[in-house]
Amino acid sequence: MIRTTVRWTATLAIAAGFISCSDESGLTTERESAVRAEGAAATQALMTTLQTNLVTSMEEGGPVEAIEFCATRALALTDSVSDSLGDGISIKRVSERHRNPENAPDASEIEAIRHFEAALADNGALPDDWVQETPAGELRFYRPLTIAPPCLNCHGDPVNMDPRVVEVLQASYPDDQATGYEAGDLRGLIRVSVSEERVNQAIDGY
């Protein structure tokens, strides 16, 4: 059985007694903790859903079936997870080297990618997550996605891929940018947008 690895360790509850102090962006410790808690829970829900379905596809039909899953169901499942979490939560997977154009990053998401790349370059390791307040005031939580060895079946060097996989990729994603990775590379991010109302509910303990 092929298992993909996903980094998602984070605190899922807001500790009581935070002192509200602002950082340089004006995002208070209390609000940042609320965004982190909501974002971590949403990320885990999404990755559990996608991983379960992807593993099933791999077991039933190998990498070719996995590509079909990603092409036809992954975005719909992402939307369904967002809907299941209630109002005020929006989830997206983003990458500069995207396979599906709908996963292309906006300016704030590119800033987040640069944040993780810089941390990796400085420390040799990726942070577990990052909370961002965009210029428009949107609160976002990010979790990095890395390439696990099984991912190379569809995201590695095309020369080393099953020719059937290459054929399906060329047919499904003619502008594919998501190959040429090595195990451990930063693949992209999960972005969770959290509304002010949802943040306030989290702070108040619902």
Side-chain angles (χ1 to χ4, degrees):
M1 178 181 295
I2 296 175
R3 300 288 181 185
T4 55
T5 58
V6 181
R7 304 178 55 197
W8 56 31
T9 55
T11 302
L12 300 183
I14 303 168
F18 272 117
I19 299 174
S20 294
C21 56
S22 297
D23 62 16
E24 293 179 357
S25 69
L27 184 62
T28 66
T29 301
E30 190 175 44
R31 291 172 71 226
E32 180 177 342
S33 298
V35 174
R36 179 165 280 113
E38 292 291 316
T43 298
Q44 182 163 342
L46 175 62
M47 294 311 301
T48 298
T49 298
L50 293 181
Q51 184 179 13
T52 299
N53 282 272
L54 185 58
V55 167
T56 299
S57 297
M58 290 287 289
E59 291 174 342
E60 292 177 348
V64 171
E65 184 67 25
I67 295 169
E68 294 291 346
F69 161 76
C70 291
T72 61
R73 298 178 56 201
L75 285 173
L77 281 173
T78 300
D79 291 340
S80 70
V81 171
S82 289
D83 292 343
S84 72
L85 294 170
D87 294 337
I89 295 287
S90 174
I91 310 176
K92 179 185 177 184
R93 291 174 300 142
V94 300
S95 176
E96 285 189 289
R97 292 168 59 184
H98 51 80
R99 177 156 283 171
N100 189 321
E102 293 191 44
N103 293 330
D106 62 23
S108 293
E109 291 159 353
I110 291 174
E111 179 189 7
I113 292 171
R114 296 290 177 268
H115 169 83
F116 284 97
E117 289 175 338
L120 180 60
D122 290 343
N123 306 317
L126 288 165
D128 286 332
D129 54 46
W130 188 51
V131 174
Q132 174 196 59
E133 184 170 18
T134 72
E138 182 180 351
L139 299 174
R140 294 178 173 182
F141 170 92
Y142 295 93
R143 176 65 50 78
L145 294 171
T146 57
I147 294 290
C151 303
L152 298 177
N153 288 307
C154 302
H155 292 288
D157 187 337
V159 173
N160 300 322
M161 291 182 191
D162 185 325
R164 296 172 300 168
V165 171
V166 175
E167 183 180 350
V168 172
L169 284 175
Q170 290 174 343
S172 300
Y173 303 102
D175 298 319
D176 183 24
Q177 303 175 43
T179 58
Y181 286 100
E182 296 181 1
D185 284 350
L186 177 64
R187 168 75 181 95
L189 306 175
I190 295 177
R191 185 221 73 199
V192 182
S193 295
V194 186
S195 70
E196 285 286 351
E197 181 179 5
R198 187 77 175 226
V199 169
N200 292 334
Q201 288 175 344
I203 292 171
D204 294 338
Y206 291 88

